[in-house]
Amino acid sequence: MNIKNYYMLLLLLFILGFYINISVLDFQCDPFIPTTIIMAKSINEFGNLESAVSYISKIAKYSAWQCHTKDFIQYEPLSGVLVGILSNITGLSIFTTSYLPIPYMIYCLALLCIFRILYYNNIKLISNNNLIYDILIFFILFVGIYAFICKFVIGKFYVFEYHGIFLVYVLFSYYLLLRLVVTNNKNIINKILLILILIFVANLFTHYNYPLTLTGGLLIFMIVYKILKYLNIEIINKELAASFKKIIILFIILLTLQNFYFVNLEHTKGLFETFTMLVNTLITKLVGSSSSSGVIMQKSGYIFNYQWMFVRKWWHILFVTTSVFMLLFIAVYYLKHKNLKPCSLSYFYTLIFGRDATWMYSYFTHYGGNLSFYLPNGWLLNSLIMTPILQLLNSKDKLWNKLGKVFLGLSIILTILLLLDSTFEAHFAISGSSPFPYQVRNDGVSLFNFLITNVDKPQIIVGSLESSSALYSYLAFYDLVKLEYVFPKPALGYMLIPGIKKHKSVEEIYYSMKKDKVSKFILTKYELDNGFFGGLTVAPLTKNETKKLKNILEANENIIYDSGKAKLFDFNY
């Protein structure tokens, strides 16, 4: 089929993703964007990064959003620097600049580049220009890109803040790594390696996730390479393998210089003990009838919760099983056909799988045991296992050809499951059931001006994850000094029971806030009608529990402002 038709379908997909975010969700709803906004504002106000770091570090207290900003402006300030510079150049406000959808435009370009390299390299493995396989390859790659947009863009990350910038780095790194393993031109390889190193360094100062997990992925890929090389199966040439070894060593050295993760890991259990906890948790997730993460989903009120979790669980189980057997069968295939050279992309999925495994371990360690069994890059992994399958299908040996058809059937099932999983995730955000629904922010805005202008001494302002972060972002419209008086804080710490994701009773939540001398509490109409999310790692209050909290607050505290869309409670002491 003419590839221009494929490009048109991808273009329609990109336009649809943009339309949903702008017209349906009223821009990005991610609750962490205010960190970039406040970093940029403080940097521009002081005129230099050093003074901004000192200021934010000084005022960061009460576990409010200022503390989150402190971590990033100390270790990963690049997004704030970029937004501040662009704001000065364009004359746009910091708030407006941070909501520019620049990263999404770059995502589209990067995804097209990834599509091209995977499509053309897979199409080469098809004999006789088989139209069915051609369409099937496109379908699998298209669903992968669709999954990326549903999982990372819709209601999440696509504007000019640290998540959006970080994902730009990630996508282009994937493209460059794919180029590395399919090219034999030494000059091109050296240029790509240099760009990869520059991206790695930039990400060290943007988001802690990628540098650590990419290094882990490369390590696991090289372990697979060494094992296969011992069996006389060469998946990449010696020069590239040597280059990978060098950049792994360089990346490890650079990681030790950027200590965001290591500072946080100091407060966790030992690495061996954490690893044991992780293994036990994964077993529980896979074979257990319930999980703590299921508690959050069940109480979110999402109408397709059961169907979504069923589809997601079985995609993960089936993918891990398929990829492990694929790894073994392809090795055996090339051991029996020593005259054949493996396709360079045959084992690339082990690099991405390794990155996700490193992410699971580091996230689990960082957040003290809060983890669901999840592969964030499933959108790409699902596309990558198509390459070894096509190699088996291309075999003239009937046994291996039949085995290829079995794996192809599994790949189609995996793609359908991924399609359903991604659709549920997009609908989850659009329906307003996510932990950061856009309706909460829109309701909260109705009282922010009253609140900010009437606070003249330091006060802890508690709300949901979304309402507290929305309040924090709106501080960018006022003098910087307001950051010293208004301390927006998500209710997570008052709701969380250590070690599990269930929340305290409503009465305990209220008394926890009183004990901590909370000054004010924000409750929106949307939360009263749908439930209250205090954070990402604790189950939300149901609609009835939220109303019970409202009744306790009305009986004991003062309502000092009611916009009709949100209430502001003032605590009596």
Side-chain angles (χ1 to χ4, degrees):
M1 186 176 286
N2 192 327
I3 195 169
K4 290 182 180 180
N5 295 328
Y6 293 157
Y7 288 153
M8 287 302 297
L9 290 172
L10 287 172
L11 180 61
L12 289 174
L13 175 61
F14 295 149
I15 292 172
L16 179 62
F18 187 69
Y19 173 80
I20 290 173
N21 271 314
I22 297 296
S23 300
V24 179
L25 296 180
D26 188 22
F27 293 94
Q28 183 167 314
C29 308
D30 169 47
F32 299 103
I33 186 172
T35 280
T36 295
I37 294 173
I38 298 302
M39 280 197 296
K41 180 176 177 63
S42 58
I43 291 168
N44 278 11
E45 288 281 339
F46 286 102
N48 64 83
L49 177 61
E50 185 179 354
S51 298
V53 171
S54 176
Y55 177 73
I56 294 295
S57 299
K58 179 182 175 182
I59 65 170
K61 50 188 175 182
Y62 307 128
S63 297
W65 279 106
Q66 283 91 330
C67 295
H68 185 267
T69 305
K70 174 188 171 183
D71 288 340
F72 273 82
I73 201 167
Q74 281 185 332
Y75 301 114
E76 298 163 335
L78 187 56
S79 64
V81 172
L82 292 175
V83 168
I85 291 172
L86 188 59
S87 173
N88 287 333
I89 292 173
T90 61
L92 297 172
S93 70
I94 294 288
F95 192 90
T96 300
T97 303
S98 64
Y99 274 92
L100 292 175
I102 296 171
Y104 184 66
M105 305 303 175
I106 304 175
Y107 294 171
C108 296
L109 176 60
L111 289 168
L112 275 177
C113 291
I114 291 171
F115 168 80
R116 279 178 59 86
I117 202 166
L118 290 178
Y119 175 78
Y120 282 117
N121 277 275
N122 281 324
I123 213 75
K124 292 176 186 176
L125 301 173
I126 299 175
S127 57
N128 302 321
N129 296 320
N130 191 306
L131 180 60
I132 293 176
Y133 284 155
D134 187 311
I135 294 173
L136 193 56
I137 289 170
F138 170 73
F139 172 67
I140 292 172
L141 295 178
F142 180 86
V143 170
I145 294 173
Y146 171 83
F148 175 85
I149 291 174
C150 289
K151 290 174 176 294
F152 291 97
V153 176
I154 303 297
K156 290 194 182 117
F157 319 127
Y158 80 106
V159 299
F160 203 46
E161 50 85 48
Y162 71 86
H163 284 112
I165 297 168
F166 145 74
L167 282 173
V168 167
Y169 297 149
V170 170
L171 288 178
F172 272 108
S173 292
Y174 289 164
Y175 170 68
L176 292 171
L177 286 165
L178 287 166
R179 281 290 307 274
L180 271 178
V181 298
V182 300
T183 186
N184 292 314
N185 188 313
K186 189 174 181 180
N187 289 329
I188 292 177
I189 289 175
N190 290 334
K191 290 176 181 178
I192 291 174
L193 287 171
L194 177 60
I195 298 171
L196 270 175
I197 292 169
L198 292 175
I199 290 175
F200 185 91
V201 172
N203 225 329
L204 280 172
F205 300 99
T206 304
H207 195 286
Y208 58 84
N209 177 295
Y210 181 70
L212 185 72
T213 56
L214 175 64
T215 306
L218 285 168
L219 278 169
I220 289 174
F221 179 75
M222 289 306 294
I223 290 170
V224 172
Y225 164 78
K226 283 290 187 182
I227 293 171
L228 292 173
K229 186 183 178 184
Y230 179 77
L231 298 172
N232 293 318
I233 301 172
E234 192 170 287
I235 56 174
I236 56 174
N237 60 54
K238 294 178 181 178
E239 292 78 12
L240 182 56
S243 296
F244 274 164
K245 290 176 187 176
K246 291 176 184 176
I247 64 171
I248 288 172
I249 293 171
L250 177 61
F251 287 175
I252 291 173
I253 293 171
L254 290 172
L255 277 171
T256 63
L257 301 177
Q258 216 294 23
N259 62 349
F260 181 89
Y261 251 120
F262 303 102
V263 167
N264 285 277
L265 289 179
E266 287 176 0
H267 306 293
T268 65
K269 299 177 185 257
L271 292 179
F272 179 77
E273 186 179 351
T274 307
F275 180 75
T276 304
M277 288 170 57
L278 176 61
V279 172
N280 291 333
T281 300
L282 290 177
I283 292 171
T284 302
K285 303 294 184 186
L286 287 171
V287 302
S289 58
S290 63
S291 68
S292 59
S293 60
V295 172
I296 295 179
M297 287 304 305
Q298 289 164 16
K299 297 193 72 174
S300 69
Y302 182 53
I303 58 173
F304 297 117
N305 164 59
Y306 175 78
Q307 294 88 337
W308 182 19
M309 291 300 101
F310 177 85
V311 166
R312 173 169 287 186
K313 177 179 180 178
W314 282 102
W315 181 89
H316 279 80
I317 292 174
L318 187 58
F319 178 82
V320 171
T321 305
T322 301
S323 59
V324 169
F325 278 106
M326 177 66 67
L327 183 75
L328 298 174
F329 279 122
I330 285 290
V332 173
Y333 176 74
Y334 283 108
L335 283 173
K336 288 183 173 292
H337 300 81
K338 295 184 182 295
N339 59 315
L340 297 178
K341 184 179 180 182
C343 174
S344 54
L345 287 177
S346 296
Y347 289 94
F348 187 82
Y349 72 88
T350 61
L351 193 158
I352 307 301
F353 190 88
R355 186 190 165 219
D356 282 359
T358 307
W359 173 85
M360 281 195 287
Y361 180 49
S362 63
Y363 191 92
F364 183 85
T365 305
H366 184 64
Y367 289 102
N370 285 319
L371 175 72
S372 295
F373 175 49
Y374 183 58
L375 298 173
N377 288 286
W379 67 274
L380 182 57
L381 288 167
N382 196 76
S383 299
L384 289 171
I385 62 167
M386 188 66 184
T387 301
I389 291 173
L390 289 172
Q391 289 178 269
L392 293 180
L393 286 169
N394 213 22
S395 174
K396 295 178 182 178
D397 188 313
K398 288 185 179 180
L399 177 62
W400 290 104
N401 186 272
K402 287 182 179 179
L403 186 61
K405 289 179 180 178
V406 171
F407 277 115
L408 179 62
L410 289 172
S411 179
I412 293 171
I413 293 171
L414 280 167
T415 304
I416 293 171
L417 289 173
L418 182 63
L419 179 67
L420 291 171
D421 175 28
S422 307
T423 303
F424 281 133
E425 184 143 357
H427 184 254
F428 180 62
I430 294 169
S431 66
S433 302
S434 77
F436 36 91
Y438 68 97
Q439 296 96 328
V440 170
R441 180 193 57 200
N442 291 346
D443 285 355
V445 168
S446 61
L447 59 73
F448 289 163
N449 183 62
F450 172 84
L451 194 163
I452 294 170
T453 55
N454 285 279
V455 171
D456 56 5
K457 62 182 180 179
Q459 295 192 3
I460 303 173
I461 318 295
V462 174
S464 64
L465 180 66
E466 183 65 16
S467 66
S468 62
S469 70
L471 170 61
Y472 189 49
S473 68
Y474 268 76
L475 287 169
F477 292 113
Y478 299 83
D479 292 338
L480 201 63
V481 71
K482 284 294 182 181
L483 288 171
E484 302 173 30
Y485 299 109
V486 179
F487 289 89
K489 181 177 180 179
L492 173 66
Y494 305 112
M495 297 173 65
L496 189 65
I497 301 175
I500 62 175
K501 294 184 178 179
K502 293 182 180 179
H503 61 70
K504 299 175 184 176
S505 69
V506 173
E507 291 83 1
E508 287 178 305
I509 294 169
Y510 169 70
Y511 288 120
S512 293
M513 290 192 289
K514 288 288 284 187
K515 184 179 179 181
D516 198 37
K517 299 296 182 182
V518 167
S519 302
K520 292 178 173 57
F521 187 86
I522 300 169
L523 193 58
T524 67
K525 184 178 184 301
Y526 187 82
E527 289 161 344
L528 282 170
D529 294 338
N530 296 275
F532 180 94
F533 264 101
L536 296 175
T537 56
V538 65
L541 299 179
T542 63
K543 179 170 66 173
N544 289 335
E545 288 170 331
T546 306
K547 288 181 178 178
K548 185 176 180 180
L549 177 60
K550 177 187 77 82
N551 292 336
I552 292 175
L553 289 167
E554 286 181 340
N556 296 280
E557 314 299 345
N558 299 320
I559 299 176
I560 59 172
Y561 193 82
D562 185 349
S563 68
K565 292 185 177 181
K567 298 177 186 289
L568 182 63
F569 293 89
D570 185 52
F571 280 66
N572 295 308
Y573 292 102

